[in-house]
Amino acid sequence: MTRHLSPAERLASAEKDLLLENLADQSSWDRYLVEQAAFHYGTRVDEFSANDLRDVLPEMAHGFLGAVINSLRTAGVIEHTGRVVPSTLANTHGHRISVWRLSVKGLVIAEQRRRARRAPTEAAA
């Protein structure tokens, strides 16, 4: 027997579907831009959270932060520090969020990118 959703559950589900639809409508370029910004931020600081990234990214990027952090974690580019901090986003009511750092793989990628940027200028010298 199938369970019927209550009106509140249907409305919540519809709102969630609209939010997911809005995220899907954003171009992959936007998501990759946020991914690059998060990686770059990680090369500049030892540890970071979504709070830190929200402070430096335009508001349109905030919807991508969870997906971006998850994709960087899944790819092994960042790793959890074992620490959590309260979210500074008002509507989360201080929900705990993870603190991240670049993994060894992320540090290797960062070093390769640094070398690649230096190579053309060193070759010209």
Side-chain angles (χ1 to χ4, degrees), residues 6-16:
S6 72
E9 290 171 323
R10 281 194 305 276
L11 288 171
S13 179
E15 181 179 343
K16 179 187 76 170

Side-chain angles (χ1 to χ4, degrees), residues 13-24:
S13 179
E15 181 179 343
K16 179 187 76 170
D17 290 344
L18 288 174
L19 292 173
L20 290 174
E21 186 177 309
N22 287 342
L23 282 177

Side-chain angles (χ1 to χ4, degrees), residues 49 51 80-87 95-100:
S49 70
N51 292 336
H80 194 271
T81 65
R83 294 187 324 107
V84 294
V85 295
S87 173
H95 178 77
R96 310 299 278 171
I97 59 173
S98 297
V99 177
W100 304 95

Side-chain angles (χ1 to χ4, degrees), residues 48-61:
F48 61 94
S49 70
N51 292 336
D52 301 312
L53 296 171
R54 272 195 307 273
D55 288 345
V56 298
L57 288 170
E59 191 163 330
M60 76 83 190

Side-chain angles (χ1 to χ4, degrees), residues 1 4 9 19 21 26 29 35 44 53 60 72 82 84-85 91 99 103 108 119:
M1 183 170 176
H4 294 283
E9 290 171 323
L19 292 173
E21 186 177 309
Q26 299 292 323
W29 185 87
E35 197 169 85
R44 301 288 188 236
L53 296 171
M60 76 83 190
L72 291 172
V84 294
V85 295
N91 64 353
V99 177
S103 64
V108 168

